[in-house]
Amino acid sequence: MPVPVPRQRAIPAVESGQAQAASTVGGHSGASGASGAETAYKGKTAENTKNTTTTLVGSDTTSTNLTLLLIEDDPGGSPIVPELLDQAGKPIRVRTARNLTEAERLLTDDVHCILLDLALPAPGRTDDRDDELSVLRHVLELAPRHAVLALTASGDAERGAEAVRVGAQDYLFRDELDGRLLSRAIRYAVERKRSDTAERRLAEGRMRAQENRRLERGLLPTPLLDGSPLRFAARYRPGRSRALLGGDFYDVVRTPDGTVHAMIGDVCGHGPDEAALGVELRIAWRALTLAGLCGDELLGTLQQVLEHERSDDEIFATLCTVDIAPDGRRAGLCLAGHPAPLVARPGRPARLLPYDNNGPALGLLPGARWPRMQVELGREWSLMLYTDGLIEGHIGQGRERLGQDGMVEMIRRQLAQGLSGEELLRAAVNEVRQLNGGELADDVAVLLLDRVP
C-alpha cells in the first residue's frame, strides 16, 4: 500500500540546483536534506494542445496539477528537470527521490508519471553491467499502474529503446531536456499508459468472455439422443446475476437398448458451490445411467455422491428421472421431492403426471427409497420437465405465486396457440418473468421431449 507523502519542506533552488519554484506544495518544515521534496515549477512556455490529459491513478488531471516523481542519483544537484507547465498552463509538481527506497515512500496515488534515471544503481547492487535495466525493472514492479519515462545519456538510443521494450512509455536524453519537451513527454506517457491499460483490460475482458463461453458449453449438457425419434428442447436461466450456472441441472441420454433417460434436478441454494454440486450430480447421473442403473438404485447412489460432495450437511437436491421405453409409449417415473412433469397429448388438455409416490429429496433421509411409477404416454405426446423456479414466481404485486396449477393453465393456452419446442419454452419462461414483474429470484431449467410419429 502506498505510504503518504512525508511532511517536508520544499528545496530552494540554491540547494537543489533546480530553477526557482513558483509555488510550493506542502511548505511544512522538516529535517534538512535534499530528498523527498515536492516543488511546483513555473515555466516560460506551455504546450498548446486540445487533448485532455487522463490519469491512471490519483485524481483527474483536468482539475489538479500533474505530479512527476523524479528518481535520480545526483549528489551535486545538477538541474536535470527544467521548468515545467502542463497543457493548461499549470505548474507540474515535481517530487525528487535519490534512491528507490525514497521513491517507494513518495509513490502515492497522486503521482502521474515517473522520470527514472537509468544510471541509478539497483537496490543492493553497485555494478549493473550484467543488466543495465535492472533499476527500470524494479520500478516497473514497484509501480505497475504508473507511466514511466526513462532518462539516459545523450546518444544512447539503443539503451532507451530497450527500456521501452522492457515497459517504459518513452525515453529521453538527459542532456537534451527542456521544459517544452519534457512537459509534452509527460503528458504523452500518461496518456499512453492509460491507453495501454484500457487495451489490456479490454483484451482480458474478451478472454474471460471466451473462457466463460467455453466453460458454459462444457458444463451444460449435450443430449445423447442419436438414433432416437424424440425431439429435444431446453431452456436454462440461472438466478444469480451474471452467473453461468445455478443449482439447477438436467440431462438426456439414450442407452444402447433404445431407452431414453431424462433427468432434471435442483440443488438448494444459488451460489457457486451449489452450481458445482449440480454439475457433479448431472455427470454422476449420466455415468450411472450409461452403466445400466435405473430407478431406486440410481437415486440411492446419487444420494451417496451428494452426501460425499456437499459442503454442508443441510444441503439437499430434488430430482425427477424419466426412462422412456424404446417404443416411446410408456415410461418409468421417479420423483425425489421434485415437481411432477407435465404431459400433453393431442385432443387432451395438458396435465401433471401422478406424484402420489414422490420420495424425499436427496440428502434428507439416509437409506430412503424412491419407488418407480409406470406411466402410459401413448402414441403422440410432449413431456415437460421443469424446476420449481418456473412455478414459484409471483403473480403481479401480491404474494400469490403461479404454482403448478397456474403453470398448467399457461402451457395449455400456449399449446392451443400452436407453440411447440423451443418456441413453447421461450414463451413460457418469458411469461413467467412478466407475471413476476421482472427477473426471477430462483434458477429456472425446463426441458421438453416430443414424440411425433
Side-chain angles (χ1 to χ4, degrees), residues 158-376:
E158 182 177 351
R159 189 180 188 187
E162 181 63 23
V164 173
R165 284 193 290 270
V166 168
Q169 273 60 61
D170 203 351
Y171 68 92
L172 301 169
F173 294 134
R174 183 184 298 104
D175 299 335
E176 298 179 7
L177 285 184
D178 59 40
R180 181 186 179 91
L181 173 64
L182 183 54
S183 297
R184 184 174 59 196
I186 292 171
R187 296 196 301 273
Y188 167 77
V190 170
E191 179 61 24
R192 179 174 176 180
K193 182 65 175 181
R194 184 205 65 79
S195 178
D196 290 346
T197 300
E199 184 176 355
R200 185 181 68 253
R201 288 175 178 172
L202 180 60
E204 291 173 351
R206 288 172 177 168
M207 184 175 297
R208 282 195 299 269
Q210 293 173 356
E211 291 175 349
N212 287 344
R213 285 193 293 269
R214 288 195 295 268
L215 179 63
E216 186 175 25
R217 287 195 298 268
L219 294 180
L220 289 177
T222 301
L224 300 179
L225 285 173
D226 292 345
S228 172
L230 301 183
R231 296 184 304 187
F232 169 84
R235 195 80 175 164
Y236 192 99
R237 291 182 68 91
R240 292 184 297 132
S241 175
R242 298 184 181 180
L244 295 174
L245 291 175
D248 292 2
F249 53 99
Y250 67 87
D251 204 353
V252 178
V253 298
R254 180 176 182 267
T255 48
D257 63 356
T259 302
V260 172
H261 303 261
M263 171 271 292
I264 196 164
D266 182 2
V267 177
C268 67
H270 309 288
D273 291 340
E274 289 76 13
L277 182 56
V279 172
E280 293 181 55
L281 291 175
R282 178 186 66 78
I283 294 173
W285 177 87
R286 174 174 285 200
L288 294 170
T289 298
L290 293 176
L293 274 68
C294 185
D296 186 73
E297 184 180 12
L298 172 59
L299 293 177
T301 307
L302 283 178
Q303 174 158 282
Q304 294 179 29
V305 173
L306 182 145
E307 292 171 345
H308 184 268
E309 297 296 332
R310 63 186 177 184
S311 57
D312 190 292
D313 289 343
E314 296 184 358
I315 292 179
F316 62 90
T318 66
L319 197 69
C320 168
T321 66
V322 176
D323 54 278
I324 302 169
D327 64 8
R329 291 178 173 270
R330 61 189 184 279
L333 171 66
C334 286
L335 296 174
H338 199 88
L342 177 146
V343 63
R345 303 182 183 93
R348 301 182 186 179
R351 65 176 181 86
L352 298 176
L353 290 178
Y355 50 88
D356 296 338
N357 291 327
N358 196 336
L362 302 182
L364 290 183
L365 299 176
R369 304 299 299 270
W370 297 271
R372 178 177 177 272
M373 298 172 284
Q374 188 76 17
V375 295
E376 296 295 328

Side-chain angles (χ1 to χ4, degrees), residues 114-137:
I114 297 172
L115 180 60
L116 173 66
D117 187 355
L118 295 181
L120 189 72
R125 300 184 61 176
T126 57
D127 186 358
D128 291 326
R129 287 178 295 181
D130 293 338
D131 183 1
E132 293 183 338
L133 297 179
S134 59
V135 64
L136 173 61
R137 300 179 199 277

